[in-house]
Amino acid sequence: MSLKLELPIYMDNHATTPMDPRVLDAMLPYFTKKFGNPASRNHAFGWEAEKAVESAREQIARAINADPKEIIFTSGATESDNLAIEGAIGMYGATKGRHIITLKTEHKAVLDTCKHLTSAGAEGEQGDKAGQTAKGALAKGVLAEVTFLDVEKNGLVDLKKLEAAMRPDTVLVAIMAANNEIGVVQDIAAIGKLCHERGVLFFTDAAQAVGKVAIDVKAMNIDIMSISGHKVYGPKGVGALYVRRKSPRVRLSPLIHGGGHERGMRSGTLPTPLIVGLGAAVELAVRELPEESRRLRALRDRLWNGLRAKLDHIYLNGDYENRLPGNLNVSFAYVEGEALMMAIKDIAVSSGSACTSASLEPSYVLKALGIGEDLAHTSIRYGIGRFNTEAEIDFTIDTTVKAVQRLREMSPLYEMAKEGIDLKSVQWSGH
Amino acid sequence: MAYSDKVVDHFNKPRNVGSFDKTDPDVGTGIVGAPECGDVMKLQLKVKDGVIEDAKFKTFGCGSAIASSSLATEWVKGKTLDQALEIKNTQIVEELSLPPVKIHCSVLAEDAIKAAVNDLKKKQAASQTAETAKS
């Protein structure tokens, strides 16, 4: 059987996912016919929209073993991350403490929010009056103190190091469930247990994890959790935040003020079609998770084994076992990542080389693994998703192998390595 | 970011990829950049009667870096060493329509030419000194 491949192939499913047509079908009526404002309490249009929103809330709650009242709709995981961290400091900073622990490999939405809170002037912008009553330790206007923990070489956090970083004033631990670059899945249940034993709130950004690995907020002792729509074959522009209501009851200071929607934590008219899409997408992904994760894992193994069989000097970034089933992040030594992407242009992937960024800095996540900037520049992230096929994986192996071989033939580093020159010993004229 | 047609052309069909013998007295070798910065260029010139008769390159770097060095090998051919030193990175930027974030690729190519020319001049000076010493 010969199937003709449709090019280009999309294999960048950590960046975003195409919407599942079943999700689109669920959304469509809410753009035109059922367009009411869910907050309109006095007519059928509003009731219809409200019913749809509440049904989506139930779908999401069921998928993660939460109560529907614990789901807050947002514009996406970035907003959810901001609300979780700033909101927790705003609510508990003055009473429980201002110390946050997070990882160096977190998403920028978490890292930058943390950095913002540690900068002078954070208070003015956030309008957190509690800041003024904070006990002496922090400079004026600074709302939090943050520990950015290192991860191990495999990308996982060492629980002993996490425990050692906890202080009496630690109020929040922010550790992502699954990493967006290297796909490693942290031991969320163990982290949650540790946090609850120590009376610290546990927030996890699960944008990459929901619908890909099983999440149970109760069993895993998660207090706050970010969810994204477009990472699970749902629409862009919508996300959710799980906020625990019991043992402990968590409250967050809002970032967006207005009509008091979403239990006062997030004002703004609810985008019914997007929320319906999010609900349908999360429900679908979690329902199909066991079978789909086996399928993705098989495709991922096929890709990794295929590349390894034909190429030497290639390195896996991040732990292989504790990993999203569709993620493969590989460094192809002596070949720059952006050039490799250009050479395999029929396959859409990402690179940690970040050669396009003005700073010319390679991925901070890869650097945090300690793999060295030279290898970080040679990395490719394959994000295999729901619509990828075995034929596409085989094409990807073939195309990547040929491109790496071609680029190595024109790589001075490969030539030097073959001559037995230790590249680390060379005096480079770096600029 | 989309690449210009000329960058794509040089990337897909790079000119003069390869290596000369570094120890050849008529070959000048310039290696610039660093693996940690994501680009290393090796540019080699071969001279005959004061004129660059051939050039080769190998580059570890993005598509624009590969295109810049490929173009540089084309441009130096037929020039004297001093003429080759007159090639400016801005000419490479213009020819390949490089965007601002890729200007460093053209700078690297200019540096590679300079390094190769200097290597050759050093070799020539050394051999002249050796000649003088002998006589």
Side-chain angles (χ1 to χ4, degrees):
Chain A
M1 184 180 70
S2 115
L3 280 173
K4 201 170 179 313
L5 286 177
E6 205 175 303
L7 300 178
I9 293 165
Y10 187 75
M11 210 174 279
D12 198 13
N13 286 283
H14 303 301
T16 190
T17 56
M19 233 172 50
D20 191 300
R22 294 170 291 182
V23 173
L24 179 64
D25 287 344
M27 290 169 67
L28 282 175
Y30 295 93
F31 284 103
T32 48
K33 287 206 174 66
K34 306 179 179 182
F35 60 87
N37 186 333
S40 298
R41 290 282 156 81
N42 301 307
H43 52 66
F45 296 88
W47 301 330
E48 190 175 46
E50 188 191 19
K51 200 176 139 206
V53 166
E54 293 318 310
S55 156
R57 214 185 290 280
E58 278 166 33
Q59 285 173 309
I60 294 164
R62 254 199 312 275
I64 59 170
N65 193 25
D67 185 281
K69 291 196 187 78
E70 297 176 314
I71 306 299
I72 304 293
F73 290 111
T74 67
S75 64
T78 291
E79 185 192 331
S80 293
D81 290 351
N82 274 263
L83 175 57
I85 298 166
E86 282 205 46
I89 287 293
M91 186 58 68
Y92 302 110
T95 51
K96 290 195 172 172
R98 298 187 172 277
H99 181 232
I100 300 171
I101 301 171
T102 188
L103 301 183
K104 286 184 179 164
T105 51
E106 289 292 309
H107 191 272
K108 283 282 183 194
V110 167
L111 292 179
D112 286 355
T113 303
C114 286
K115 283 175 193 157
H116 170 69
L117 292 175
T118 59
S119 63
E123 180 198 333
E125 271 182 54
Q126 203 224 14
D128 169 29
K129 291 181 185 64
Q132 293 157 4
T133 59
K135 289 182 200 80
L138 301 180
K140 190 175 176 344
V142 172
L143 289 175
E145 200 181 333
V146 182
T147 300
F148 297 93
L149 273 184
D150 283 312
V151 293
E152 303 303 297
K153 274 189 162 41
N154 60 4
L156 297 170
V157 64
D158 181 339
L159 287 177
K160 288 197 178 67
K161 290 180 187 168
L162 172 62
E163 190 170 14
M166 288 180 170
R167 313 190 313 207
D169 63 337
T170 303
V171 62
L172 185 74
V173 163
I175 291 181
M176 69 202 322
N179 185 273
N180 48 306
E181 287 190 35
I182 52 176
V184 297
V185 178
Q186 303 288 350
D187 188 349
I188 290 304
I191 297 168
K193 184 168 174 278
L194 175 63
C195 289
H196 275 204
E197 282 166 6
R198 301 289 294 260
V200 175
L201 292 176
F202 176 38
F203 159 59
T204 187
D205 174 348
Q208 298 285 352
V210 169
K212 321 281 168 62
V213 292
I215 298 278
D216 180 328
V217 291
K218 288 203 179 80
M220 293 172 158
N221 286 306
I222 297 167
D223 296 313
I224 316 170
M225 182 172 84
S226 295
I227 299 171
S228 163
H230 75 108
K231 307 285 193 195
V232 281
Y233 309 93
K236 293 173 179 61
V238 70
L241 190 65
Y242 157 78
V243 187
R244 180 181 280 271
R245 270 167 64 95
K246 262 191 271 182
S247 49
R249 177 184 176 84
V250 180
R251 291 164 67 218
L252 301 173
S253 295
L255 299 181
I256 296 177
H257 310 274
H261 307 74
E262 301 298 273
R263 295 166 51 214
M265 282 188 262
R266 207 284 190 177
S267 289
T269 295
L270 293 169
T272 315
L274 298 181
I275 288 170
V276 168
L278 178 64
V282 169
E283 184 180 76
L284 261 176
V286 172
R287 193 205 303 153
E288 296 177 353
L289 191 150
E291 199 181 328
E292 177 64 359
S293 101
R294 269 196 299 277
R295 190 188 76 90
L296 287 175
R297 190 178 292 265
L299 291 180
R300 196 264 315 277
D301 291 347
R302 188 181 182 89
L303 177 57
W304 177 227
N305 292 331
L307 293 172
R308 275 197 302 177
K310 291 177 186 153
L311 293 170
D312 53 2
H313 305 292
I314 74 173
Y315 307 96
L316 177 80
N317 297 315
D319 195 79
Y320 198 71
E321 288 311 312
N322 300 295
R323 191 183 195 95
L324 290 173
N327 176 281
L328 190 67
N329 190 311
V330 185
S331 285
F332 298 90
Y334 320 121
V335 174
E336 201 275 328
E338 194 188 328
L340 184 51
M341 284 201 296
M342 194 171 165
I344 59 168
K345 62 172 170 39
D346 285 332
I347 308 155
V349 293
S350 279
S351 170
S353 96
C355 199
T356 47
S357 77
S359 68
L360 303 177
E361 286 285 310
S363 150
Y364 65 89
V365 173
L366 296 179
K367 278 164 74 178
L369 304 185
I371 71 164
E373 295 198 15
D374 49 344
L375 271 181
H377 277 291
T378 69
S379 76
I380 293 287
R381 176 186 72 180
Y382 299 92
I384 307 164
R386 186 177 289 171
F387 302 104
N388 290 123
T389 63
E390 198 172 274
E392 289 178 339
I393 295 294
D394 291 343
F395 177 84
T396 302
I397 295 169
D398 198 44
T399 310
T400 306
V401 167
K402 281 185 189 141
V404 169
Q405 285 168 345
R406 177 172 94 85
L407 291 170
R408 279 183 178 170
E409 277 315 305
M410 52 196 288
S411 166
L413 303 180
Y414 189 58
E415 184 180 66
M416 292 164 93
K418 274 199 303 189
E419 286 169 9
I421 298 169
D422 177 12
L423 296 175
K424 301 255 182 263
S425 70
V426 177
Q427 282 282 332
W428 299 102
S429 68
H431 59 143
Chain B
M1 183 193 60
Y3 298 94
S4 72
D5 291 345
K6 281 183 181 162
V7 168
V8 172
D9 184 56
H10 274 282
F11 180 77
N12 288 334
K13 290 175 284 177
R15 307 355 170 211
N16 310 308
V17 174
S19 298
F20 296 131
D21 178 6
K22 261 188 291 202
T23 57
D24 184 334
D26 293 326
V27 168
T29 303
I31 299 178
V32 295
E36 292 76 18
C37 306
D39 31 33
V40 175
M41 275 181 200
K42 186 185 83 168
L43 195 125
Q44 293 185 301
L45 314 170
K46 194 175 212 169
V47 287
K48 196 178 178 187
D49 306 326
V51 174
I52 297 167
E53 66 160 1
D54 204 358
K56 294 245 183 262
F57 86 93
K58 283 202 175 190
T59 290
F60 162 81
C62 64
S64 303
I66 288 169
S68 297
S69 36
S70 170
L71 178 67
T73 58
E74 280 195 320
W75 277 1
V76 294
K77 280 194 207 180
K79 286 191 164 66
T80 64
L81 292 183
D82 288 333
Q83 284 168 339
L85 287 177
E86 282 166 19
I87 296 173
K88 292 281 165 270
N89 83 292
T90 45
Q91 296 166 293
I92 296 171
V93 169
E94 199 176 329
E95 173 69 14
L96 296 176
S97 311
L98 297 181
V101 293
K102 294 297 183 188
I103 287 175
H104 71 279
C105 298
S106 68
V107 174
L108 211 57
E110 185 189 317
D111 289 351
I113 297 173
K114 285 192 178 124
V117 168
N118 288 338
D119 180 54
L120 196 54
K121 285 187 167 172
K122 236 186 272 174
K123 271 188 187 174
Q124 287 170 342
S127 72
Q128 260 172 11
T129 323
E131 291 291 317
T132 327
K134 259 187 254 171
S135 60

